[in-house]
């Protein structure tokens, strides 16, 4: 049974930084594509960043150059380093996982999800 647990959210000032972590249990992640998604208040969930088993990354245009996704397969953990945060980055951030590759930022391709962590930028 695959479980994902996010942590690292919180409140931060505009221009600040946060690092989100997603710990996966129940299965080694080295064959998984991993993604970070977010749902801003009153809006639909959107893709933020993804990383494939081979380390290939994809970012939505809004966060390019500010956010960085990485993975540590030994720790079964994926990270999202968020820099120069803007008020529009305020959202609940979700970690997602799926066996395989080439899913990118398509949320419908991911079957395993965490519970989310709130990020508030003001």
């Amino acid at each position: 049974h695959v479980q994902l647990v996010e942590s690292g959210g919180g409140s931060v000032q505009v221009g600040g930084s946060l690092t989100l972590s997603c710990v996966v249990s129940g299965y080694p992640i080295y064959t998984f594509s991993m993604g970070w998604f977010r749902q801003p208040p009153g809006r639909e969930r959107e893709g933020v960043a993804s990383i494939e088993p081979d380390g290939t990354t994809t970012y939505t245009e809004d966060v390019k150059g500010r956010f960085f996704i990485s993975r540590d397969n030994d720790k079964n953990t994926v990270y999202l380093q968020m820099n120069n945060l803007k008020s529009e980055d305020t959202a609940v951030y979700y970690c997602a996982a799926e066996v395989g590759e080439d899913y990118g930022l398509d949320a419908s391709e991911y079957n395993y999800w965490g519970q989310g962590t709130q990020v508030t930028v003001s």
Side-chain angles (χ1 to χ4, degrees):
H1 181 58
V2 178
Q3 289 188 311
L4 287 68
V5 179
E6 304 99 333
S7 62
S11 296
V12 64
Q13 292 185 336
V14 170
S17 298
L18 281 175
T19 298
L20 305 183
S21 300
C22 172
V23 178
V24 181
S25 61
Y27 204 87
I29 67 168
Y30 67 91
T31 63
F32 278 60
S33 287
M34 303 295 301
W36 284 99
F37 295 80
R38 67 186 179 186
Q39 187 165 14
R43 293 170 54 185
E44 293 186 353
R45 190 173 299 188
E46 60 188 27
V48 177
S50 67
I51 185 166
E52 297 189 8
D54 68 355
T56 301
T57 56
T58 301
Y59 297 93
T60 189
E61 195 65 33
D62 288 351
V63 308
K64 284 182 179 178
R66 299 190 298 122
F67 290 13
F68 300 95
I69 187 171
S70 61
R71 62 192 299 155
D72 186 334
N73 291 339
D74 290 337
K75 295 182 178 179
N76 246 36
T77 301
V78 175
Y79 304 95
L80 185 67
Q81 171 71 41
M82 305 186 294
N83 302 319
N84 191 21
L85 283 159
K86 305 176 181 180
S87 58
E88 50 264 44
D89 295 319
T90 294
V92 178
Y93 283 72
Y94 298 89
C95 178
E98 185 54 59
V99 176
E101 56 189 18
D102 292 333
Y103 304 131
L105 301 179
D106 186 349
S108 67
E109 296 284 4
Y110 294 84
N111 284 311
Y112 303 105
W113 291 83
Q115 82 289 348
T117 185
Q118 176 71 47
V119 172
T120 302
V121 186
S122 60

